[in-house]
Structures are given as structure tokens and as C-alpha cells.
């Protein structure tokens, strides 16, 4: 089983719809992240959480919200989806005790907003 | 904040040849520089990293070099193989920060 699991793997939705992407992990890591990948723009940080009661905005948080339901679960919501939110979304985890805080990524959710 | 630029955006090499990807960063306070490899349909995976107190690091066929004065670092892949075909991302992290800033990615194609 994957250590970092994202659901769904693919999603097509319409403009204005609310959508939730889910992430769960079995690595026991405290830190979780949501990234967005667009061609030529690399990976950009949307939100991150260092523990259950900690939520922080990343560089592109507008139009998104998150919920850290438990140490192992971190969900990303698009309140009212728009076409330029079409992208590949990755959840990642890291261990705060790791000196370099290596990121462990899920397999991604491809989201298309029509 | 930190800004990382990565070149080239695509790279095609013949199997057995070397591949080099270059990144520049803007903030001299950055002290940690990892490289991630993303295979088709998968999430990125860390393949090698370097800290600012080291100039070069090798791991089998891959190596990373860092020039702090010029604020650039490079990934070198020698004796490329078809399984090296992937998208590669460089990243940088500020010494006082805890977030990575990624470059735009390089799609590497190794032709048999």
C-alpha cells in the first residue's frame, strides 16, 4: 500500500462547483503539504500543516482551503472551482525529526475544471 | 522570498551520454538544495541533495554541484539509461525557513 494516498486520482468538475481532494498517510509524519503542479511552473505550495492544530498559507492559497482532520489526514477544498485551477495536485508529508525534512509525495490528483 | 530558475525545460540525450540540469536561486540565505525525480504517473521522489557547506556530492551515476558565490547548482547524470527519462525538479530552502521553493522542472528524455 502507498504511504501517502490521494483520492480521487482524477476529477472533472464544472466552474463554480465545490470540490474536495483528500490525502491520508501511514508514515506517521506530523507535517503535511498541498502542492500544485503546472507545466513550466514547477511545484507551488498551497497550504501546509505542521500538526493537527496548525494551518499555514503557502504562496498560492487564494481560492483554496484546507482541513487537518487528524495527524494522518489533510484535505484540500476548492470553494468555487474555476478553470485556471485545472492542474495536478500533490499531497506530501515530512518528518519534523528529519534534519533535511525529505518530502514524500502521493501519486497526485489530476483536476480539470470545465 | 526565494526564487528558483531551472534550465533547460526539456533535454533529450542519447543513451550513454551525460545530462546536466542547471538551477539558479535568488536568496543567498538558502542552505539546502534537493533534487526530485518525477516518473510518469507518480509523485516526485528525492534523489539527491546538497547542503551549502558542501561543494559537490555524488551517488553512483548522479552528482550535484553547488556554487554559492554564483548562486547556482547543477545535477549531473552520467551514462544515462532509459529509466532516467523523467521530470527533474531542483529546489532551495532558506536557512531560517522550512519550505522548499521549486524550479520549473526539466523533462529529460533518454533515447535508446
Amino acid at each position: 500500500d502507498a504511504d501517502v494516498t490521494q483520492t480521487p486520482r482524477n476529477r472533472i468538475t464544472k466552474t463554480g462547483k465545490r470540490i474536495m481532494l483528500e490525502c491520508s498517510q501511514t508514515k506517521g509524519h506530523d507535517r503535511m503539504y498541498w502542492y500544485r503542479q503546472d507545466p513550466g511552473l514547477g511545484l507551488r505550495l498551497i497550504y501546509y500543516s505542521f500538526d493537527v492544530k496548525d494551518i499555514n498559507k503557502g504562496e498560492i492559497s487564494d481560492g483554496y482551503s484546507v482541513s487537518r482532520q487528524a495527524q494522518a489526514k489533510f484535505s484540500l477544498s476548492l470553494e468555487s472551482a474555476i478553470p485556471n485551477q485545472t492542474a495536478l495536485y500533490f499531497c506530501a508529508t515530512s518528518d519534523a525529526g528529519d534534519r533535511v525534512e525529505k518530502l514524500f509525495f502521493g501519486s497526485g490528483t489530476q483536476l480539470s475544471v470545465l | 522570498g526565494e526564487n528558483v530558475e531551472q534550465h533547460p525545460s526539456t533535454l533529450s540525450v542519447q543513451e550513454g551520454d551525460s545530462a546536466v540540469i542547471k538551477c539558479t536561486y535568488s536568496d543567498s540565505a538558502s542552505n539546502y538544495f534537493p533534487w526530485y525525480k518525477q516518473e510518469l504517473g507518480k509523485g516526485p521522489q528525492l534523489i539527491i541533495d546538497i547542503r551549502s557547506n558542501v561543494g559537490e556530492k555524488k551517488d553512483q551515476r548522479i552528482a550535484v554541484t553547488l556554487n554559492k558565490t554564483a548562486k547556482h547548482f547543477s545535477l549531473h547524470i552520467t551514462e544515462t539509461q532509459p529509466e532516467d527519462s523523467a521530470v527533474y525538479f531542483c529546489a532551495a530552502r532558506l536557512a531560517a525557513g522550512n519550505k522548499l521553493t521549486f524550479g520549473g522542472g526539466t523533462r529529460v528524455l533518454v533515447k535508446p
Side-chain angles (χ1 to χ4, degrees):
Chain A
D1 288 341
D3 294 321
V4 183
T5 303
Q6 292 184 235
T7 56
R9 288 298 307 273
N10 292 279
R11 181 72 182 266
I12 300 174
T13 192
K14 294 183 178 180
T15 297
K17 295 290 187 181
R18 186 178 189 275
I19 184 170
M20 179 181 290
L21 309 182
E22 299 191 17
C23 177
S24 63
Q25 53 115 345
T26 59
K27 300 192 75 65
H29 290 167
D30 287 323
R31 301 187 172 191
M32 298 188 74
Y33 310 78
W34 276 104
Y35 283 90
R36 167 179 172 161
Q37 182 180 355
D38 297 276
L41 296 178
L43 295 154
R44 293 182 292 167
L45 184 62
I46 306 172
Y47 270 96
Y48 62 103
S49 168
F50 283 175
D51 65 42
V52 175
K53 297 180 180 179
D54 176 72
I55 300 290
N56 304 281
K57 292 183 178 181
E59 56 186 306
I60 54 164
S61 60
D62 287 350
Y64 301 94
S65 63
V66 291
S67 174
R68 185 80 184 266
Q69 301 96 325
Q71 187 210 33
K73 296 183 181 295
F74 192 36
S75 60
L76 175 71
S77 294
L78 285 67
E79 302 302 325
S80 179
I82 57 177
N84 75 0
Q85 291 177 313
T86 293
L88 181 58
Y89 290 85
F90 285 103
C91 173
T93 72
S94 70
D95 179 3
D98 176 3
R99 189 169 68 98
V100 297
E101 287 196 53
K102 173 182 175 180
L103 291 174
F104 293 85
F105 286 86
S107 295
T109 295
Q110 178 63 56
L111 176 66
S112 297
V113 183
L114 305 179
Chain B
E2 177 63 280
N3 182 52
V4 178
E5 294 191 359
Q6 183 172 346
H7 299 281
S9 56
T10 60
L11 180 59
S12 182
V13 297
Q14 207 66 38
E15 183 176 357
D17 288 350
S18 295
V20 180
I21 304 169
K22 298 181 179 181
C23 290
T24 59
Y25 60 99
S26 61
D27 197 323
S28 58
S30 290
N31 71 342
Y32 174 64
F33 307 93
W35 286 87
Y36 282 78
K37 175 184 180 182
Q38 183 183 14
E39 297 177 347
L40 194 62
K42 297 183 179 180
Q45 282 191 300
L46 179 70
I47 55 171
I48 195 167
D49 57 13
I50 192 168
R51 300 183 74 87
S52 58
N53 59 348
V54 176
E56 183 176 3
K57 184 176 179 181
K58 291 183 179 179
D59 183 2
Q60 300 183 335
R61 294 186 298 107
I62 61 174
V64 59
T65 59
L66 171 65
N67 183 326
K68 288 188 295 182
T69 302
K71 291 190 286 188
H72 67 71
F73 56 112
S74 300
L75 179 71
H76 305 254
I77 307 173
T78 58
E79 302 174 16
T80 53
Q81 300 171 3
E83 55 263 37
D84 295 328
S85 294
V87 178
Y88 292 80
F89 294 99
C90 64
R93 187 174 69 204
L94 290 169
N98 44 32
K99 302 185 297 292
L100 289 175
T101 299
F102 285 87
T106 297
R107 183 173 299 278
V108 174
L109 175 63
V110 179
K111 296 179 289 185

